[in-house]
Amino acid sequence: MTFYLLFFFLLLLLPWCNCTDRLGEFCNKDKNTSSKQVLANIDRVLTELASKTPSAGFTTTSYGHYDETVYGLAQCRGDVSTADCSTCVNDAAKQIKQLCTNQADGRIWFDYCFLRYDVKNFIGEVDTGFGIFYWNVENATDPEEFVKKLGEVMPRVREEALMPANKGLGRNKTKFSSFVTIYSLVQCTRDLSQLSCAQCLDTAIANIPKFCLYKQGCRVLYSSCYLRYEIYSFFFPLDSKLEALGTTSRAILHP
C-alpha cells in the first residue's frame, strides 16, 4: 500500500486546552452519495450514537436496508466521565455532519472520544489504513534511555488493554527520572476481539519510532485504536501538578 504524508505544525497550549477540540477527521471523498435515503440513515445513526454512547462509553448501531444501510460506532476514552463523554460525542456527531457533507464514510477524533459511520459494515474489523500522528517537537532528555523506557512501558499498557475486564483500555505512569514521569494510555474500540486489538496496538506501537523517535510526547490515532504518551499527566485521575506547554507537529497517513 502506498502512503502519502502531510505535515504541518500546530501550537497547543496543553494546560488550558478544550479537550473536546477536534484532533482530526477523515471524510472519504471516494464515497460521495446523493442518496437522500442514505443521508437520512446517516442522520439517524448519528442521533443514536450521540444518545446511547454516554451511558456505557461505547455503542455500535446500524440503520437502513440493503445497500442503503449505514453502520456507526462511537466510543469515549475509558477514563472520562459520563458528562464529558456526552459532550464529546454530541460535538462529534454535529461536526462530522458538517465536515463530511454527502460522504458515506466519515470519521472524527477528539481527545475524549471517537465516532465513525460507513455504508460498509466495519464492525469488528481492524482498520489502520488511515492514521493521524501528533508528537511534541521537543526531544526527551537522555533520548536513548527514554526510548528504552518506552520499550518497557508500551508492552505493559498493551497487555493491560488486552485483559477482558479492562475493555480495551490500558494506562500506566512510570518514573523516567527523579523529576520526569512518563504517562501512557492505549485503547482499542470495544467491537474488536482480543487478537484484533493486539494487532492494532502493535501497529500503533511500531509507528512510534517512525514519527515520535526521542519525542517527549506522542499520539497515534487509528479508527480501531488510540495510543498516547506524555511527560505530564493527561488521563484521569490527573496528578496534581502543572502540565507543560508544548509545540506539537502532526502527520496524516492516507491509504
Side-chain angles (χ1 to χ4, degrees), residues 37-214:
Q37 188 57 59
V38 169
L39 295 173
N41 291 344
I42 290 172
D43 287 345
R44 176 65 177 264
V45 164
L46 292 177
T47 298
E48 288 195 20
L49 292 176
S51 64
K52 293 181 178 180
T53 303
S55 60
F58 169 77
T59 195
T60 60
T61 189
S62 64
Y63 193 80
H65 301 284
Y66 306 111
D67 58 353
E68 293 179 328
T69 303
V70 176
Y71 302 86
L73 176 152
Q75 179 164 303
C76 290
R77 217 175 68 192
D79 61 312
V80 304
S81 68
T82 299
D84 285 338
C85 179
S86 179
T87 298
C88 189
V89 175
N90 275 276
D91 285 349
K94 292 174 184 175
Q95 292 192 34
I96 200 170
K97 185 176 178 180
Q98 297 168 351
L99 292 164
C100 299
T101 305
N102 297 333
Q103 264 89 54
D105 174 11
R107 313 165 201 191
I108 190 165
W109 289 261
F110 290 75
D111 195 23
Y112 284 1
C113 67
F114 168 71
L115 182 150
R116 71 179 295 192
Y117 67 84
D118 199 340
V119 290
K120 173 184 176 290
N121 186 359
F122 59 86
I123 307 300
E125 296 183 0
V126 182
D127 189 342
T128 55
F130 178 88
I132 301 174
F133 303 81
Y134 283 88
W135 61 92
N136 192 310
V137 298
E138 297 295 329
N139 285 343
T141 57
D142 195 353
E144 296 294 341
E145 185 63 27
F146 192 81
V147 169
K148 180 180 177 182
K149 181 62 69 173
L150 280 177
E152 298 170 359
V153 169
M154 285 303 160
R156 292 205 293 267
V157 289
R158 174 190 181 275
E159 290 307 310
E160 185 176 337
L162 295 178
M163 295 178 183
N166 293 331
K167 300 179 180 179
L169 176 68
R171 290 176 289 178
N172 181 276
K173 60 179 182 179
T174 187
K175 282 287 186 181
F176 171 61
S177 69
S178 300
F179 306 102
V180 177
T181 298
I182 301 174
Y183 299 82
S184 53
L185 180 148
V186 299
Q187 181 166 296
C188 293
T189 55
R190 282 157 54 181
D191 60 315
L192 296 185
S193 67
Q194 185 182 56
L195 177 59
S196 294
C197 177
Q199 290 173 343
C200 190
L201 292 178
D202 286 345
T203 300
I205 292 169
N207 273 315
I208 291 176
K210 186 181 298 184
F211 295 95
C212 305
L213 185 64
Y214 304 141

Side-chain angles (χ1 to χ4, degrees), residues 226-245:
Y226 170 94
L227 177 154
R228 184 178 183 184
Y229 73 80
E230 306 286 357
I231 58 168
Y232 59 85
S233 178
F234 68 90
F235 55 75
F236 297 103
L238 293 172
D239 283 354
S240 56
K241 69 176 186 177
L242 181 65
E243 299 173 359
L245 298 180

